[in-house]
Amino acid sequence: MDIFEKVVKNPGPLGQYADIGYGYYYYPKMEGPISNHMTFRGKEVIVWNLNNYLGLANHPEVRAVDAEAARDYGLAYPMGARMMSGQTRFHEELENELAKFEKKEAAYLFNYGYMGMVSVIDSMVDRHDVIVYDSEAHACILDGLRMHIGKRFVFPHNDMEKFGQQLERATKLTRQTGGGILVITEGVYGMAGDLGNLREIVKFKDKYDFRILVDDAHGFGTMGKTGMGTSEEMDVVDDVDIYFGAFAKAMAGFGGFIASEKRIIKSMLYKMRSQIYAKSLTLPMVIGSLKRLEMIRTRPELREQLWNNVRALQNGLRDQGFDLGKTQSPVTPVIIKGGTIEAFKVGIELRETYGIMCSMVIYPVVPKGLAMFRLIPTAVHTPEDIKYTIDAFSDIRKNLDNGKYSGSDIPVVADRY
């Protein structure tokens, strides 16, 4: 078979809806300054689908530092990968500040968080080692796991009994191979908003010999008293061996970092292929991230405002009878009964009738017969935004009960590709 024909005939679970939702649900073009209100297809909408948790994306102080760095250095600087020609004192300064903030000995920057996580996993294990990981792991973790040629054991999401059983299996195997055990979990699970059971996981260190890697992309800057993340929230900072944070959420940028013991970071400098063979993180982003980190440290009111909005939105939706799952974070999943057809129709109603922009999640990400609309409250949302959105969802729930969105046809809202 011609491989082009094979690719076209197998579009995948998301691609099968490309002709229906391209440019609307998938690859929507949102315009205007990043804020709580933006423009979609020429219409102003309330934006609930951006991970701009602290409102730093368009903060004037951040914009000023970004602009000054771009003016002084341009977007190309530094040229080359860190190992060869992409090292600067600003990269080292940011790493030192991140390590200090996370109370670790050292840190290392990634040009993109996704590739960074893949490369961390690849650099930490060989065929003799065993990885034990949570079943709800993010795609970047799963892609890293695919590169591992040794054994990997999965446990059901946050199931500590099964986790212990998998640790027992891993321990028996590594006694034979002479390898070690790497446990991978997340701090905040970005789809459902619940937290990894870090407090219970680290207790297993009393019985088993393993190291733990925590992906805290959504927790960095939002969780914990000072914004250190979910490890601070659960008071297990010293028990987390490798902490992974991303800049694309609370920092409203791109890139990421790991923080750990100095000897581990030193080793990774020479093993992480996604950094050795890729261009260094551009200097305006590095300098801009120093400013963003400073604001996370010194502006607790931003995090307080975020959480005020989180509580107002989530409590209001729950009061209206909505199921928000087990979220313990700003991530706000609104779970409704209905399949793909109902989900598409509800999504159109939210955007066209109410001017509400949020992410729609359908099978196979959620079980058949359910759909999820994920909202991300931020520090820049207003009480008016929150009340309006709660009222709109209340109307949606009544329409669902009345069967307004039933039927057999999925409306076509796609742009031409």
Side-chain angles (χ1 to χ4, degrees):
M1 172 185 276
D2 175 41
I3 196 166
F4 276 22
E5 292 299 321
K6 182 179 179 181
V7 168
V8 171
K9 289 181 178 179
N10 296 277
L14 297 178
Q16 65 179 312
Y17 301 113
D19 292 338
I20 296 170
Y22 177 82
Y24 195 85
Y25 290 112
Y26 312 124
Y27 304 96
K29 295 182 284 290
M30 298 174 63
E31 300 173 302
I34 299 173
S35 189
N36 56 325
H37 288 222
M38 294 177 70
T39 300
F40 174 64
R41 288 189 165 187
K43 179 181 179 180
E44 182 179 302
V45 292
I46 303 175
V47 177
W48 295 104
N49 61 341
L50 301 182
N51 298 316
N52 182 28
Y53 287 118
L54 302 180
L56 298 183
N58 208 34
H59 193 286
E61 293 184 42
V62 171
R63 286 284 298 269
V65 171
D66 289 348
E68 182 179 3
R71 182 197 66 204
D72 291 346
Y73 296 99
L75 295 178
Y77 193 90
M79 286 299 296
R82 289 281 296 277
M83 180 178 283
M84 302 302 292
S85 57
Q87 182 86 323
T88 75
R89 64 181 176 88
F90 294 106
H91 287 73
E92 293 178 334
E93 181 183 354
L94 179 55
E95 287 167 344
N96 290 337
E97 292 300 318
L98 286 165
K100 187 187 305 181
F101 183 58
E102 291 298 331
K103 296 183 180 179
K104 301 295 184 189
E105 290 181 352
Y108 188 72
L109 295 178
F110 299 133
N111 38 26
Y112 282 99
Y114 194 107
M115 293 189 299
M117 175 56 74
V118 171
S119 214
V120 167
I121 296 172
D122 180 50
S123 68
M124 283 294 297
V125 293
D126 62 29
R127 64 187 179 89
H128 302 292
D129 302 318
V130 177
I131 298 175
V132 179
Y133 68 100
D134 191 287
S135 62
E136 295 296 316
H138 188 268
C140 65
I141 296 173
L142 297 180
D143 284 352
L145 292 172
R146 289 174 180 142
M147 298 180 68
H148 177 44
I149 60 175
K151 294 290 186 180
R152 54 183 189 263
F153 300 147
V154 61
F155 61 95
H157 181 49
N158 274 342
D159 186 328
M160 291 298 96
E161 181 181 355
K162 293 294 193 296
F163 172 63
Q165 293 173 4
Q166 298 294 47
L167 274 181
E168 185 69 29
R169 290 181 66 197
T171 299
K172 290 179 180 178
L173 183 59
T174 53
R175 284 172 182 163
Q176 299 172 11
T177 65
I181 302 171
L182 178 66
V183 170
I184 307 178
T185 185
E186 294 187 44
V188 175
Y189 283 83
M191 192 60 65
D194 60 333
L195 307 183
N197 203 346
L198 305 185
R199 194 176 286 118
E200 295 302 314
I201 287 175
V202 300
K203 289 180 181 179
F204 282 84
K205 285 188 172 185
D206 295 336
K207 183 178 180 180
Y208 299 100
D209 185 13
F210 65 89
R211 296 290 185 168
I212 179 171
L213 163 61
V214 176
D215 177 349
D216 206 24
H218 287 268
F220 175 66
T222 67
M223 303 297 294
K225 183 179 179 180
T226 67
M228 281 175 60
T230 311
S231 56
E232 181 185 41
E233 180 79 17
M234 295 194 172
D235 195 26
V236 293
V237 171
D238 293 338
D239 298 297
V240 171
D241 299 294
I242 306 175
Y243 181 88
F244 171 92
F247 297 160
K249 276 67 177 181
M251 295 270 266
F254 62 89
F257 71 97
I258 51 167
S260 186
E261 297 178 18
K262 185 175 293 185
R263 59 180 179 151
I264 296 302
I265 299 300
K266 180 180 178 181
S267 172
M268 288 185 177
L269 294 180
Y270 302 93
K271 295 180 180 178
M272 292 192 296
R273 295 168 65 85
S274 70
Q275 310 309 304
I276 294 172
Y277 297 102
K279 190 178 185 298
S280 178
L281 188 63
T282 182
L283 205 51
M285 191 70 252
V286 174
I287 295 173
S289 294
L290 281 164
K291 178 62 178 179
R292 290 163 170 83
L293 180 58
E294 174 197 312
M295 294 187 73
I296 289 174
R297 280 172 153 169
T298 62
R299 304 287 179 86
E301 66 272 14
L302 296 175
R303 195 162 48 257
E304 291 168 7
Q305 185 59 50
L306 164 65
W307 278 99
N308 287 338
N309 289 343
V310 169
R311 286 187 285 269
L313 178 66
Q314 293 183 355
N315 290 340
L317 289 168
R318 286 193 178 102
D319 288 345
Q320 292 295 325
F322 283 102
D323 179 7
L324 305 188
K326 297 180 180 180
T327 184
Q328 300 163 271
S329 71
V331 178
T332 305
V334 181
I335 302 166
I336 66 170
K337 292 183 178 180
T340 300
I341 294 173
E342 288 88 351
F344 270 93
K345 290 181 178 179
V346 168
I348 293 171
E349 183 92 289
L350 284 170
R351 296 185 185 188
E352 301 303 324
T353 302
Y354 297 100
I356 290 175
M357 195 81 173
C358 60
S359 299
M360 179 184 74
V361 184
I362 57 176
Y363 177 82
V365 180
V366 295
K368 287 184 177 180
L370 295 178
M372 177 194 296
F373 290 89
R374 190 182 70 156
L375 286 76
I376 303 293
T378 71
V380 295
H381 281 103
T382 67
E384 291 77 19
D385 294 334
I386 294 169
K387 182 181 185 306
Y388 178 85
T389 299
I390 293 170
D391 290 343
F393 269 89
S394 179
D395 290 346
I396 292 293
R397 185 171 58 81
K398 294 173 185 175
N399 291 337
L400 280 166
D401 293 341
N402 293 331
K404 179 178 179 179
Y405 308 116
S406 61
S408 58
D409 296 326
I410 300 178
V412 177
V413 288
D415 292 337
R416 294 180 64 185
Y417 182 72

